[in-house]
Amino acid sequence: MPHQPQTVRTVTSDPGLDRLKAVLDSWRNSLLDMGGRNRLLNFRHTRTASLELTSPGATALLSDLARGWDFAPVAEDMDDSGNLAAAQRNRPGLVTQKATQATLDSALYQLRQRSGQMFNDYGLWVLWLGVGMLDWREDGAHEGSSAPLLLVPVELRRDSNRHYRLHLADDQDRAHNPALAVKLERLGIDWSPVTGTDVTDLSAVISAARSVAAVQKG
């Protein structure tokens, strides 16, 4: 009796596909703006396009992000010691650098509107939580720059009372800062110990970044 033909499934690596991937990666990296205008490399707060979350800490913030965070009402009164900052930190919810409720509400409105419009028009997710900051400076530069280590996709939801909550965005993935990895590679710095860490393990990312930075001059 002749043997019945067998269906053999193999998993292999096509050298042609590997070369194509390398070319595409090179093109993608060449399109990244490596100059000072790239806020992934040279982050600066703006009046309405960014918020600094000063409380709670990153670990606590990320652990409850899937359930969502309310924004703490802005404290415009003093605590018993006459300290406005301390009074704000004692409010429950997310605390930002905004000094008045009006400026916070305006920034939240602008962020929600712009990010939603960009996604609807182009399918691009542009609202991210930057976690961990690397302070770096090129040789010969007079000023340093700050770059986020991790990018966590978030969205702002608003209820019927016009209250905003910060949530983890659906169907979007966390990522290591892609521009930072390319920039440091061009500077001859091996950033792979950082990009090789699990993006959900904040302590591992921070530890790896500190180890790489510790041996760099300046």
Side-chain angles (χ1 to χ4, degrees):
M1 295 288 292
H3 293 291
Q4 292 295 325
Q6 295 180 346
T7 300
V8 179
R9 294 178 175 85
T10 60
V11 178
T12 185
S13 175
D14 186 337
L17 292 178
D18 290 342
R19 287 193 295 271
L20 177 60
K21 182 179 183 299
V23 171
L24 292 176
D25 287 343
S26 176
W27 286 349
R28 180 196 62 191
N29 293 342
S30 68
L31 292 174
L32 287 172
D33 181 2
M34 294 290 106
R37 295 176 301 176
N38 189 337
R39 296 176 67 204
L40 290 180
L41 297 175
N42 184 31
F43 183 79
R44 295 288 187 273
H45 277 295
T46 63
R47 186 171 60 86
T48 59
S50 66
L51 285 173
E52 179 182 359
L53 303 181
T54 59
S55 180
T59 300
L61 192 159
L62 292 176
S63 65
D64 284 341
L65 192 56
R67 292 189 298 176
W69 280 92
D70 289 315
F71 285 85
V74 176
E76 299 182 33
D77 55 334
M78 302 291 183
D79 65 4
D80 294 338
S81 302
N83 190 330
L84 180 61
Q88 175 69 346
R89 285 196 301 270
N90 291 332
R91 304 289 178 96
L94 298 178
V95 178
T96 76
Q97 85 280 26
K98 297 300 183 181
T100 67
Q101 190 66 46
T103 55
L104 173 60
D105 291 343
S106 176
L108 292 172
Y109 173 82
Q110 295 290 341
L111 287 170
R112 183 173 182 269
Q113 289 293 106
R114 292 174 182 174
S115 60
Q117 181 176 355
M118 185 65 72
F119 185 72
N120 290 333
D121 291 347
Y122 302 104
L124 297 176
W125 198 264
V126 297
L127 190 59
W128 299 84
L129 177 66
V131 184
M133 299 295 286
L134 176 73
D135 295 328
W136 66 280
R137 178 171 53 85
E138 293 192 62
D139 288 341
H142 298 292
E143 296 183 359
S145 299
S146 294
L149 298 176
L150 280 180
L151 301 175
V152 180
V154 292
E155 64 176 316
L156 287 167
R157 300 177 186 174
R158 191 174 63 180
D159 62 22
S160 58
N161 295 321
R162 304 180 71 85
H163 293 153
Y164 292 93
R165 284 175 63 85
L166 186 71
H167 284 263
L168 189 66
D170 296 330
D171 301 323
Q172 304 293 329
D173 297 322
R174 302 184 188 194
H176 297 283
N177 184 342
L180 183 59
V182 173
K183 181 66 176 182
L184 295 181
E185 179 183 0
R186 294 182 181 181
L187 294 176
I189 297 172
D190 182 10
W191 197 240
S192 62
V194 181
T195 57
T197 59
D198 185 348
V199 292
T200 64
D201 190 344
L202 177 60
S203 62
V205 174
I206 297 293
S207 177
R210 285 175 173 163
S211 295
V212 175
V215 298
Q216 304 301 323
K217 181 180 179 181

